[in-house]
Amino acid sequence: MRTRLPQLLTQLRLKGMANVLDRELERAEKKGAPPVEVIHRLLRQEHAYRQERSMLYRLNHAKIPWEWTLKTFPFDKQPGVSKPQILSLAGLSFIARAENVVFIGKPGTGKSGLASGLLRQALIEGHRGRFYNAQDLLDELYASLADRTTPKLIKRLCNYDILLIDELGYLTLKPEQVNAFFKLMGERYGKKSTMITTNLEYPQWYDLFQRKPLVDALLDRLKHHCITIKIDGPSLRVPSDEGDTNTAS
């Protein structure tokens, strides 16, 4: 029976229990643990295994291109960022409130790092999320128009608890892309959280999208449930000399 148990656990896809079976049975034999304790410990191991697998799946599916975390962000080198504010956001209550977060700042100031760190924290805590480069997202929305799968794509994007749209800047946009993007943002409004990083102040969005009525509606909805973080600080991409002063790259 001892040799058949691992096979049964494998057939039942209880890999977490199978991984620790021998260890737990040896422990039970040495300490004379009652059956109920052995079962409880095995079930706890299975639960932990599935939780970890689920977390790894969410992290992989989110397609975050960097390993950045909030713990590795150089707050000491970016005075334009309020560390207490970011750590407060890391509590993720904004997701429960379906609030948006918009990071505005010049290139290299840490917008993507902070947003990616918050997204990663949300994934670890059990939320479903996705990272998108803004141009890639708009291109995917445009491509979906050809085979009429846009409603299906938008529905899938709206199922994410948190969606990160990175580098919303001076992009080359077609009217159809703009319409699809506004449709997506309208569907997520008040239901799910969206994070956006951009080097454009809100008034510059009119030049980007070229559709004043739609931009008016977008900004009205976006800022209604929104936390805007403006980063007015140095570029973190600029190397420092021995005196720790920024130099041109």
Side-chain angles (χ1 to χ4, degrees):
M1 185 173 293
R2 180 75 175 260
T3 59
R4 289 166 58 188
L5 279 175
Q7 297 175 357
L8 288 172
L9 292 177
T10 300
Q11 291 173 1
L12 293 170
R13 298 183 180 180
L14 299 173
K15 192 170 182 179
M17 295 175 67
N19 289 341
V20 299
L21 179 64
D22 289 337
R23 185 188 73 193
E24 291 299 331
L25 290 179
E26 289 176 5
R27 178 183 179 278
E29 290 172 355
K30 290 179 180 179
K31 296 190 175 183
V36 66
E37 180 182 335
V38 177
I39 294 173
H40 181 255
R41 290 178 63 87
L42 287 171
L43 288 173
R44 284 181 57 188
Q45 290 289 342
E46 180 64 31
H47 180 262
Y49 172 81
R50 294 193 179 194
Q51 290 289 96
E52 182 179 6
R53 294 285 296 178
S54 179
M55 180 188 69
L56 292 174
Y57 173 81
R58 291 193 301 273
L59 287 169
N60 182 62
H61 181 76
K63 300 187 182 302
I64 306 175
W66 312 285
E67 296 295 325
W68 297 336
T69 69
L70 295 179
K71 290 183 179 180
T72 61
F73 186 83
F75 288 100
D76 58 323
K77 297 181 180 180
Q78 184 49 277
V81 171
S82 170
K83 184 176 181 179
Q85 182 183 26
I86 299 301
L87 295 182
S88 176
L89 286 174
L92 306 177
S93 59
F94 73 93
I95 296 179
R97 297 191 298 267
E99 290 181 336
N100 303 309
V101 181
V102 177
F103 290 90
I104 301 175
K106 296 179 180 179
T109 52
K111 307 181 301 294
S112 297
L114 291 169
S116 296
L118 287 171
L119 174 57
R120 186 176 298 276
Q121 184 66 31
L123 297 168
I124 291 173
E125 293 296 326
H127 296 284
R128 296 180 67 250
R130 180 73 157 80
F131 175 101
Y132 266 102
N133 172 271
Q135 186 68 68
D136 292 342
L137 173 62
L138 288 161
D139 288 345
E140 188 170 331
L141 286 169
Y142 184 71
S144 71
L145 295 171
D147 55 9
R148 299 181 180 180
T149 59
T150 306
K152 183 178 179 180
L153 174 59
I154 289 179
K155 182 179 180 179
R156 174 165 60 82
L157 293 172
C158 286
N159 285 332
Y160 291 119
D161 301 316
I162 180 166
L163 181 67
L164 169 52
I165 304 173
D166 190 48
E167 298 293 348
L168 185 67
Y170 290 109
L171 310 174
T172 302
L173 302 178
K174 298 179 175 63
E176 296 87 351
Q177 288 174 300
V178 174
N179 292 336
F181 178 73
F182 287 159
K183 174 67 174 177
L184 169 63
M185 296 302 295
E187 290 292 326
R188 289 184 62 84
Y189 169 68
K191 302 173 185 176
K192 303 288 185 178
S193 294
T194 302
M195 285 194 294
I196 295 175
T197 73
T198 179
N199 60 350
L200 304 178
E201 297 284 348
Y202 287 128
Q204 295 174 292
W205 290 30
Y206 291 95
D207 295 329
L208 171 64
F209 293 112
Q210 298 289 319
R211 303 285 294 276
K212 186 178 185 305
L214 291 179
V215 177
D216 284 340
L218 172 64
L219 292 180
D220 181 64
R221 291 179 174 181
L222 187 65
K223 294 192 289 185
H224 181 220
H225 294 289
C226 184
I227 301 167
T228 300
I229 299 176
K230 295 185 178 182
I231 306 177
D232 184 13
S235 172
L236 298 174
R237 298 173 186 164
V238 178
S240 299
D241 60 20
E242 293 181 356
D244 200 31
T245 56
N246 291 333
T247 57
S249 58

